[in-house]
Amino acid sequence: MSTIAVTDASFETDVLNADKPVLVDFWADWCGPCKMIGPALEEISEELAEKVTIAKMDIMANTDIPGQIGVKSIPLMVLFKDGKPVAQKLGAAPKSALKGWLEGEL
């Protein structure tokens, strides 16, 4: 399964009420490091599809949820389990590092 786009309106349904963990990548189109990790997150979403959903939220188009969570720098990845944030990773990293971190948190 590829990544899904979430919005302020769909966040509760797609993330908080999800039946498995959801990694939300907070990003923006102008963010170079965000664009660098995009392809890696797509690949990881396919490889770990049974264990986690990877979602992307554009902070420029959706300001409510990032504001509530306190997103100050991007890319910021926040892992939600049972509707609660349980881990986060700030900044770009190679695919192997991102996948290793995520697998360690699941």
Side-chain angles (χ1 to χ4, degrees):
M1 179 170 128
S2 59
T3 60
I4 62 169
V6 293
T7 64
D8 284 337
S10 72
F11 188 81
E12 183 173 354
T13 300
D14 292 340
V15 178
L16 300 183
N17 296 331
D19 58 357
K20 64 182 173 182
V22 180
L23 179 70
V24 181
D25 172 30
F26 294 94
W27 70 284
D29 192 47
W30 49 262
C31 170
C34 297
K35 290 181 178 181
M36 287 172 45
I37 65 169
L41 290 176
E42 289 292 335
E43 291 176 18
I44 293 167
S45 72
E46 296 288 339
E47 294 165 10
L48 300 180
E50 298 297 317
K51 297 180 181 176
V52 65
T53 298
I54 298 182
K56 297 177 72 66
M57 178 174 270
D58 182 343
I59 65 165
M60 300 306 289
N62 303 280
T63 57
D64 291 346
I65 296 300
Q68 290 172 23
I69 291 174
V71 176
K72 296 192 180 356
S73 297
I74 55 173
L76 177 66
M77 290 156 278
V78 180
L79 180 64
F80 289 83
K81 287 184 184 176
D82 300 318
K84 296 180 177 43
V86 295
Q88 67 179 32
K89 182 166 184 58
L90 178 63
K95 177 187 170 188
S96 60
L98 293 173
K99 186 176 179 183
W101 167 77
L102 182 56
E103 287 177 316
E105 296 295 339
L106 294 173

